[in-house]
Amino acid sequence: MQPTFPSAGEPAPSSPSFIEVVVVRAGTHLFAIDVEAAIEIRGPETFDRPGSGTRPHLAVRGHALPVVDLRQAIGLAAFAHGCPAMLLMQAGAETFALAVDEVRDIESVPCHKVQPATDIPFGFCSHRIALGTLGEIPLIDHALLKMG
């Protein structure tokens, strides 16, 4: 993955007028996640279901992290015991693993392209972000996703 940098004359991505996001895919749906919440991108992963009715967990360096299945969160068939890609994330003091079909690019986007949206059907997204050729995609609030 290569980050997208602004053109000459635009502020640097670290400027408060920009937000950096990681683009992920679940099924055919694209989502953006603030890069500040991302800890690590991992390839294909296998996870376990510790007991009936509980969330699956992913073992990472001796720690069992809860897995949030983005496919299941948007109403698609859940991953069974593994997924093609995983994004380790931080929500407050908690770390969790986000199971996705693909982790795409990291994009630097002017903050004015992040807009509130009330028509997003996913309770863990309250904003949209305009990403050029990708169009407008929902921006995940990682704290709300973790609670879901």
Side-chain angles (χ1 to χ4, degrees):
M1 289 188 323
Q2 294 294 320
T4 303
F5 294 102
S7 301
E10 291 184 357
S14 61
S15 164
S17 61
F18 274 80
I19 180 173
E20 285 192 312
V21 295
V22 178
V23 177
V24 298
R25 181 178 59 81
T28 59
H29 300 273
L30 294 178
F31 293 90
I33 301 169
D34 188 334
V35 77
E36 294 289 322
I39 298 171
E40 182 179 342
I41 298 168
R42 298 174 65 96
E45 291 290 344
T46 302
F47 43 83
D48 65 345
R49 293 191 183 274
S52 87
T54 61
R55 260 201 183 136
H57 284 78
L58 174 69
V60 177
R61 294 182 278 286
H63 298 281
L65 301 180
V67 174
V68 176
D69 185 332
L70 189 55
R71 289 177 60 91
Q72 186 174 26
I74 64 172
L76 299 175
F79 292 109
H81 293 286
C83 63
M86 188 76 69
L87 182 64
L88 302 187
M89 298 180 60
Q90 190 79 34
E94 294 186 65
T95 302
F96 66 97
L98 182 64
V100 297
D101 287 297
E102 178 184 19
V103 177
R104 295 175 60 122
D105 295 324
I106 296 174
E107 301 276 346
S108 293
V109 182
C111 286
H112 73 272
K113 292 193 175 195
V114 179
Q115 299 293 319
T118 56
D119 61 342
I120 298 174
F122 312 116
F124 51 86
C125 299
S126 60
H127 289 78
R128 288 189 188 276
I129 190 164
L131 288 176
T133 59
L134 296 177
E136 289 191 355
I137 62 174
L139 178 63
I140 291 176
D141 180 331
H142 54 281
L144 294 176
L145 182 64
K146 171 67 173 109
M147 296 172 10

